[in-house]
């Protein structure tokens, strides 16, 4: 038994020594150099998220995780240099290349931080990705003069001299290689956690954003992946065989909200008058509210993919048509009024110019401060049109979602024993945003009241507003003690008098199914059904207004959680 322990200890020592070998002796200075580059490069992201962002809520944990990730990257980079030790020239080129890349990352991040109060995140990457050399040169000329360029060069020389000097000093500290190896292993654990979390829930932990190299690599990989998918989507959306069973060719309006919570909606029993207009329309019988709808995800873009596509759970997103293309191929005029996505804004399917041409006849070119300004631009036609309206809704920052005159709720209305002053202020702002959103929805329905029209509204996801913890927002819902606050969403269908008269069976089925279990993953098929669209891609078993709708289907949210099973266990 003792012999077995000695053998085990000897194996462990060999493994430990082999891990230390790449960062021993001559390579230790290189390790500390790469580590310092990593640490300095992480600072802009921390500053941005700490003061301007939403994900850094615990400084100590963020700094520990960032340090672990930095150690892991520095270790890997040094190990590669160690592997190239027999190829002197190649090794030297490698070290210089890594150092130059870090200088570029650091320079770009700090420039973005001081000039735009952000670091190099995906909006900037998308802009660079889509910009030609001439436009890039004009951008640089706007912000850089000869004097600034000379100052930057001198600054970089000084910065690198200081980093090299510090690396030599730190390398002499006893035990630094053991410290680095320990934190490198912990960093691998962080990466494993991130990969496992994404595989389970298709939700980000933001780990990949904490270091410059992984952030840049992630954005590049994502851009390549989206570009390939968009190319395939263009082909499948260009020509679709479709017929229409409704002779009246009604207008169909799809309104997608942002961060709307059923727990703050008067329509769903909230105690404050946050949605008086839609509540009144429900009482008058014009509007049917569905009380068991859930979103597939806790962040917007994943939901938008699911809602637009006739695919299921985005398993074949790039090879399945998007619902606006079906309407356009049927001869409908298609309009998009979007306060979040515009053509050319980024690399998503909603911003691609060619795909947009296949989906819509009209799109707004820019956004508006408030949704009321956006919907004032909507041009109404009598019939035969599809409108997709994407609102700012109640997305944070809440107080930015409504005009100053729409401050209705007072923080003192809320429980002072349960919430502190800042929390009560944010809750009041959220309720004000909900009240304004109700007004916007009312204005949209008023615009189409005199036409043959059906409107479906739902939110992309829900929102926590301090109900469970000291947290307001959405994202990482699987970590919440009750994911329903982020996953349950309001959903209702409004029908004009003309539509109700022409399609009494649709109205009747809507009333009968208002308590039916719904997932936003199936909404695209209901949108086709509301307009009487029939195509090989349409599945009545996924249209929650059809008799063949599968009411007992499993509703998978966050990629792997059976929502109804989750609720039944609470």
């Amino acid at each position: 038994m003792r012999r077995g322990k000695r053998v085990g200890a000897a194996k462990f020592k060999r493994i430990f020594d082999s891990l230390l070998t790449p960062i021993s002796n001559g390579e230790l200075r290189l390790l500390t150099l790469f580590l310092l580059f990593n640490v300095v490069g992480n600072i802009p992201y921390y500053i941005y998220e700490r003061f301007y962002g939403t994900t850094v809520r615990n400084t100590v944990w963020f700094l520990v995780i960032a340090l672990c990730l930095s150690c892991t990257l520095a270790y890997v980079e040094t190990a590669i240099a160690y592997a190239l030790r027999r190829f002197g020239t190649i090794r030297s080129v490698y070290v210089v290349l890594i150092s130059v890349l870090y200088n570029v990352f650091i320079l770009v991040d700090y420039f973005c931080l001081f000039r735009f109060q952000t670091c190099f995140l995906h909006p900037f990457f998308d802009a660079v990705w889509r910009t030609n050399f001439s436009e890039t040169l004009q951008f640089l000329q706007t912000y850089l003069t000869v004097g600034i360029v000379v100052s930057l060069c001198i600054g970089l020389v000084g910065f690198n001299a200081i980093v090299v000097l510090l690396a030599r000093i730190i390398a002499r500290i006893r035990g630094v290689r053991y410290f680095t190896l320990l934190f490198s292993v912990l960093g691998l654990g962080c990466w494993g956690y991130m990969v496992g979390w994404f595989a389970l829930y298709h939700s980000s932990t933001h780990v990949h954003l904490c270091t410059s190299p992984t952030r840049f690599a992630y954005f590049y990989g994502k851009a390549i992946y989206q570009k390939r998918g968009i190319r395939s989507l263009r082909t499948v959306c260009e020509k679709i065989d479709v017929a229409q069973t409704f002779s009246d060719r009604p207008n169909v309006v799809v309104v997608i909200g942002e961060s709307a919570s059923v727990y703050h909606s008067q329509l769903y029993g909230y105690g404050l008058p946050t949605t008086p207009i839609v509540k009144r329309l429900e009482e008058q019988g014009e509007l049917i509210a569905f009380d068991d709808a859930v979103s597939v995800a806790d962040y917007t873009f994943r939901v938008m993919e699911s809602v637009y596509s006739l695919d299921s759970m985005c398993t074949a997103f790039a090879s399945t048509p998007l619902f606006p293309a079906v309407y356009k191929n049927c001869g409908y005029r298609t309009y998009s009024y979007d306060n979040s996505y515009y053509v050319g804004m980024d690399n998503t399917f909603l911003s691609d110019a060619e795909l947009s041409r296949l989906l819509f006849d009209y799109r707004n070119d820019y956004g508006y401060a408030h949704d009321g300004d956006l919907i004032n631009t909507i041009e109404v036609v009598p019939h035969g049109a599809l409108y997709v309206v994407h609102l700012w809704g109640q997305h944070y920052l809440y107080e930015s979602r409504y005009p100053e005159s729409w401050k209705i709720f007072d923080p003192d209305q809320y429980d002072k024993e349960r919430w502190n002053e800042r929390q009560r202020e944010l809750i009041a702002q959220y309720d004000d945003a909900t009240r304004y959103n109700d007004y916007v929805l009312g204005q949209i329905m008023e615009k189409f009241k005199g036409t043959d029209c059906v409107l479906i509204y739902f939110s992309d996801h829900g929102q926590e507003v301090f109900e469970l913890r000291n947290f307001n927002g959405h994202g990482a819902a699987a970590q919440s003690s009750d994911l329903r606050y982020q996953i349950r969403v309001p959903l209702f269908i409004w029908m004009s008098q003309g539509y109700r008269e022409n399609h009494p069976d649709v109205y009747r089925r809507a009333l009968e199914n208002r308590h039916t279990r719904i997932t936003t993953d199936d909404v695209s098929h209901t949108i086709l059904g509301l307009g009487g669209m029939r195509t090989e891609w349409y599945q009545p078993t996924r249209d929650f207004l059809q008799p063949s709708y599968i009411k007992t289907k499993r509703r998978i949210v966050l990629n792997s959680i059976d929502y109804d099973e989750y609720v039944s266990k609470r």
Side-chain angles (χ1 to χ4, degrees):
M1 191 174 193
R2 291 179 180 176
R3 185 173 178 276
K5 288 183 178 179
R6 285 197 299 271
V7 172
K11 286 183 177 179
F12 176 79
K13 187 177 185 307
R14 284 197 299 272
I15 294 172
F16 186 72
D17 289 342
S18 67
L19 291 173
L20 283 175
T21 300
I23 56 174
S24 299
N25 303 324
E27 304 295 347
L28 198 52
R29 289 182 183 178
L30 189 59
L31 171 74
T32 53
L33 177 68
F34 287 157
L35 180 58
L36 285 172
F37 277 138
N38 265 286
V39 171
V40 173
N42 293 345
I43 293 173
Y45 181 71
Y46 168 74
I47 294 175
Y48 163 71
E49 282 292 350
R50 183 67 180 84
F51 296 100
Y52 307 108
T54 59
T55 60
V56 174
R57 298 177 182 274
N58 188 311
T59 298
V60 174
W61 273 111
F62 177 88
L63 294 177
V64 169
I65 291 173
L67 181 59
C68 290
L69 298 175
S70 295
C71 287
T72 303
L73 285 174
Y75 179 90
V76 171
E77 290 157 355
T78 307
I80 293 173
Y82 177 78
L84 296 172
R85 66 190 182 281
R86 295 181 180 178
F87 309 96
T89 303
I90 296 176
R91 182 185 184 279
S92 299
V93 171
Y94 167 77
V95 172
V96 170
L97 179 62
I98 293 296
S99 301
V100 169
L101 284 175
Y102 271 116
N103 274 266
V104 172
F105 294 156
I106 290 168
L107 185 62
V108 170
D109 261 343
Y110 279 90
F111 171 77
C112 291
L113 182 66
F114 288 109
R115 187 63 184 83
F116 304 109
Q117 291 75 55
T118 183
C119 56
F120 195 81
L121 295 173
H122 64 85
F124 285 99
F125 183 89
D126 290 334
V128 173
W129 182 264
R130 289 176 173 270
T131 301
N132 58 41
F133 177 77
S134 175
E135 291 171 330
T136 302
L137 190 61
Q138 291 174 19
F139 172 82
L140 293 175
Q141 289 173 342
T142 302
Y143 295 104
L144 300 178
T145 63
V146 174
I148 292 176
V149 172
V150 171
S151 299
L152 286 174
C153 291
I154 296 173
L156 283 175
V157 171
F159 165 73
N160 282 274
I162 293 171
V163 170
V164 170
L165 179 62
L166 284 175
R168 289 181 176 180
I169 295 173
I170 295 172
R172 295 173 185 169
I173 298 174
R174 187 177 179 181
V176 68
R177 61 177 182 154
Y178 300 106
F179 169 87
T180 306
L181 181 59
L182 172 62
F183 275 76
S184 296
V185 173
L186 293 175
L188 283 175
C190 293
W191 287 116
Y193 176 78
M194 180 197 75
V195 172
W197 184 274
F198 186 82
L200 277 174
Y201 307 120
H202 278 201
S203 181
S204 171
T205 57
H206 298 276
V207 169
H208 58 286
L209 301 179
C210 294
T211 65
S212 299
T214 54
R215 185 160 15 105
F216 280 71
Y218 169 75
F219 293 146
Y220 178 77
K222 184 179 178 182
I224 293 296
Y225 174 78
Q226 289 179 338
K227 186 175 182 179
R228 290 173 181 168
I230 290 171
R231 194 179 300 124
S232 179
L233 273 176
R234 292 173 188 161
T235 302
V236 76
C237 289
E238 187 168 11
K239 184 171 178 55
I240 304 170
D241 292 329
V242 57
Q244 187 172 24
T245 60
F246 292 171
S247 59
D248 56 320
R249 293 173 64 80
N251 284 334
V252 178
V253 181
V254 180
V255 184
I256 305 172
E258 277 276 359
S259 306
S261 170
V262 296
Y263 301 97
H264 281 257
S265 172
Q266 181 186 2
L267 184 65
Y268 291 92
Y270 186 54
L272 295 178
T274 53
T275 56
I277 295 175
V278 296
K279 181 63 177 175
R280 173 175 53 81
L281 291 173
E282 182 197 37
E283 292 171 347
Q284 293 174 352
E286 296 182 32
L287 181 149
I288 300 98
F290 297 80
D291 58 15
D292 195 3
V294 299
S295 176
V296 295
D298 55 4
Y299 63 99
T300 302
F301 187 70
R302 171 69 178 84
V303 176
M304 295 298 276
E305 286 183 326
S306 176
V307 165
Y308 266 79
S309 179
L310 297 170
D311 175 33
S312 177
M313 298 301 292
C314 291
T315 52
F317 177 76
S319 57
T320 309
L322 310 180
F323 77 82
V326 175
Y327 274 91
K328 199 169 191 300
N329 274 268
C330 194
Y332 262 57
R333 293 282 297 174
T334 53
Y335 301 84
S336 172
Y337 295 88
D338 199 318
N339 231 355
S340 294
Y341 296 98
Y342 328 113
V343 172
M345 185 186 76
D346 52 32
N347 291 307
T348 67
F349 76 96
L350 288 171
S351 301
D352 181 74
E354 181 60 23
L355 182 58
S356 179
R357 181 187 65 81
L358 298 172
L359 299 180
F360 297 108
D361 294 299
Y362 169 84
R363 290 191 67 172
N364 55 298
D365 296 323
Y366 52 87
Y368 295 82
H370 303 118
D371 289 331
D373 300 323
L374 173 70
I375 59 104
N376 284 337
T377 66
I378 295 177
E379 297 181 4
V380 179
V381 298
H383 56 79
L386 169 74
Y387 295 83
V388 181
V389 184
H390 184 197
L391 304 174
W392 266 122
Q394 292 95 297
H395 199 284
Y396 43 54
L397 299 166
Y398 309 138
E399 63 181 339
S400 301
R401 302 285 78 88
Y402 53 88
E404 184 77 17
S405 59
W406 277 85
K407 284 188 176 181
I408 297 172
F409 298 99
D410 191 320
D412 291 336
Q413 291 179 255
Y414 304 91
D415 190 343
K416 295 182 180 180
E417 294 185 3
R418 182 178 179 184
W419 296 297
N420 61 38
E421 183 178 357
R422 179 54 179 161
Q423 289 172 336
R424 295 198 309 275
E425 287 178 357
L426 289 171
I427 295 170
Q429 291 171 9
Y430 184 82
D431 285 348
D432 285 335
T434 304
R435 180 70 176 254
Y436 181 69
N437 186 68
D438 178 69
Y439 159 77
V440 170
L441 292 171
Q443 290 297 105
I444 295 174
M445 288 180 278
E446 185 66 28
K447 276 178 170 287
F448 289 92
K449 189 174 182 179
T451 71
D452 182 1
C453 179
V454 58
L455 176 149
I456 181 170
Y457 164 83
F458 54 90
S459 181
D460 58 348
H461 48 72
Q463 189 87 336
E464 278 189 48
V465 195
F466 305 111
E467 294 94 345
L468 306 170
R469 49 183 170 160
N470 184 26
F471 175 78
N472 67 295
H474 58 273
Q479 291 178 326
S480 172
S481 59
D482 190 344
L483 59 77
R484 287 179 291 185
Y485 286 91
Q486 294 192 45
I487 296 301
R488 276 194 70 195
V489 293
L491 188 153
F492 65 74
I493 294 177
W494 171 84
M495 303 177 192
S496 69
Q497 182 177 348
Y499 187 91
R500 293 197 305 273
E501 291 174 352
N502 290 330
H503 307 284
D505 54 331
V506 178
Y507 180 75
R508 173 182 52 78
R509 288 198 300 269
L511 285 174
E512 293 172 350
N513 290 302
R514 62 188 184 276
H515 304 305
T516 293
R517 296 180 353 183
I518 299 169
T519 171
T520 54
D521 190 52
D522 291 333
V523 162
S524 58
H525 293 268
T526 302
I527 292 170
L528 294 188
L530 289 171
M533 297 292 153
R534 294 298 180 265
T535 171
E536 62 174 313
W537 300 99
Y538 169 70
Q539 299 176 37
T541 55
R542 296 178 60 195
D543 179 349
F544 60 80
L545 297 184
Q546 291 296 325
S548 57
Y549 177 67
I550 303 175
K551 298 181 179 181
T552 57
K553 69 176 292 184
R554 296 176 67 211
R555 293 189 289 178
I556 303 300
V557 301
L558 304 176
N559 189 58
S560 61
I561 297 176
D562 186 318
Y563 177 82
D564 298 292
E565 182 179 323
Y566 173 89
V567 172
S568 68
K569 291 180 178 179
R570 298 194 62 78

